[in-house]
Amino acid sequence: MLHVRTRSVEATRQVAAALEPLLRPGDVILLSGDLGAGKTAFVQGLAAALGVTEQVTSPTFTLAASYEGRLRLHHLDVYRLDNLAEVLDLDLPELLEDHATICIEWGEVVVPELPRDFLRIRIHLGHLEDIEDARVLEIEPIGPSWMSRNQELNQACSEWITTDPGDL
Ligand SMILES: Nc1ncnc2c1ncn2[C@@H]1O[C@H](COP(=O)(O)OP(=O)(O)OP(=O)(O)O)[C@@H](O)[C@H]1O
Ligand SMILES: [Mg+2]
């Protein structure tokens, strides 16, 4: 588990971009955090780094959007889904077999359907003095595939790592 601190939406996008070289086909990133925390901003930074030229927006009303890049990117937002049955309607198993990158906002509900390896990112409001734009990203590698990339994760994020994430 590591904590990184950003002070602007651009910085959150930069953190995401710094993680992009670590991505392998089929990786899943689960994003949680309050409304407006910066989940979509993170996906935008990741998409840009993957070479996606299309504008990434919130897929809240479409639930899922796909983009072409170094790896294909599937961006899901399951906020509006009430139960697992609806999630299964998203054809998650097919998406998982697509050798793409999958980013899932509000994805805790789908954890039972995920492979054992995924990167969990929880975004918290930063409570940093008076900086309204402060955020803390809690980045947790789950499963052996991501655990084995722990050192790379730390290196990629070193510029933003904080050992004092505050009272999250
Ligand atoms: N450090 C920061 N990191 C990310 N976003 C920030 C930061 N500071 C300010 N913001 C602002 O917070 C908002 C984040 O919006 P975004 O759509 O990414 O949130 P979200 O977590 O996806 O919300 P939702 O739950 O509605 O999908 C943007 O308006 C962005 O400009
Ligand atoms: Mg969003």
Side-chain angles (χ1 to χ4, degrees):
M1 169 93 77
L2 64 118
H3 294 96
V4 312
R5 189 187 289 291
T6 67
R7 291 175 166 78
S8 67
V9 62
E10 291 79 19
T12 294
R13 292 195 182 114
Q14 283 168 17
V15 170
L19 298 182
E20 182 274 337
L22 277 66
L23 292 177
R24 301 174 188 165
D27 277 341
V28 177
I29 299 178
L30 197 71
L31 292 149
S32 59
D34 289 343
L35 283 169
K39 300 178 291 296
T40 300
F42 181 95
V43 179
Q44 289 167 340
L46 197 72
L50 281 167
V52 171
T53 51
E54 245 179 292
Q55 181 79 25
V56 172
T57 54
S58 174
T60 298
F61 296 102
T62 51
L63 301 180
S66 300
Y67 304 92
E68 294 299 329
R70 171 178 79 83
L71 297 166
R72 189 172 301 120
L73 172 67
H74 299 300
H75 181 199
L76 279 60
D77 187 326
V78 298
Y79 177 60
R80 303 169 131 261
L81 300 193
D82 294 330
N83 58 56
L84 205 51
E86 283 184 292
V87 173
L88 296 180
D89 279 349
L90 287 170
D91 295 329
L92 197 55
E94 285 79 359
L95 295 181
L96 289 168
E97 287 188 1
D98 192 31
H99 304 291
T101 302
I102 308 183
C103 291
I104 311 176
E105 295 190 35
W106 296 101
E108 297 296 328
V109 66
V110 302
V111 167
E113 301 305 312
L114 293 182
R116 62 178 178 164
D117 295 282
F118 59 92
L119 191 64
R120 172 177 257 147
I121 300 182
R122 296 186 176 98
I123 307 182
H124 305 268
L125 298 187
H127 303 302
L128 188 68
E129 294 139 25
D130 291 334
I131 306 177
E132 201 180 301
D133 289 353
R135 302 285 191 272
V136 172
L137 282 68
E138 198 180 322
I139 303 177
E140 184 183 10
I142 310 274
S145 163
W146 273 107
M147 304 271 268
S148 69
R149 283 176 265 178
N150 205 22
Q151 202 181 343
E152 290 168 75
L153 273 173
N154 273 276
Q155 280 167 0
C157 297
S158 59
E159 194 181 320
W160 302 277
I161 285 179
T162 176
T163 49
D164 177 21
D167 192 12
L168 294 180

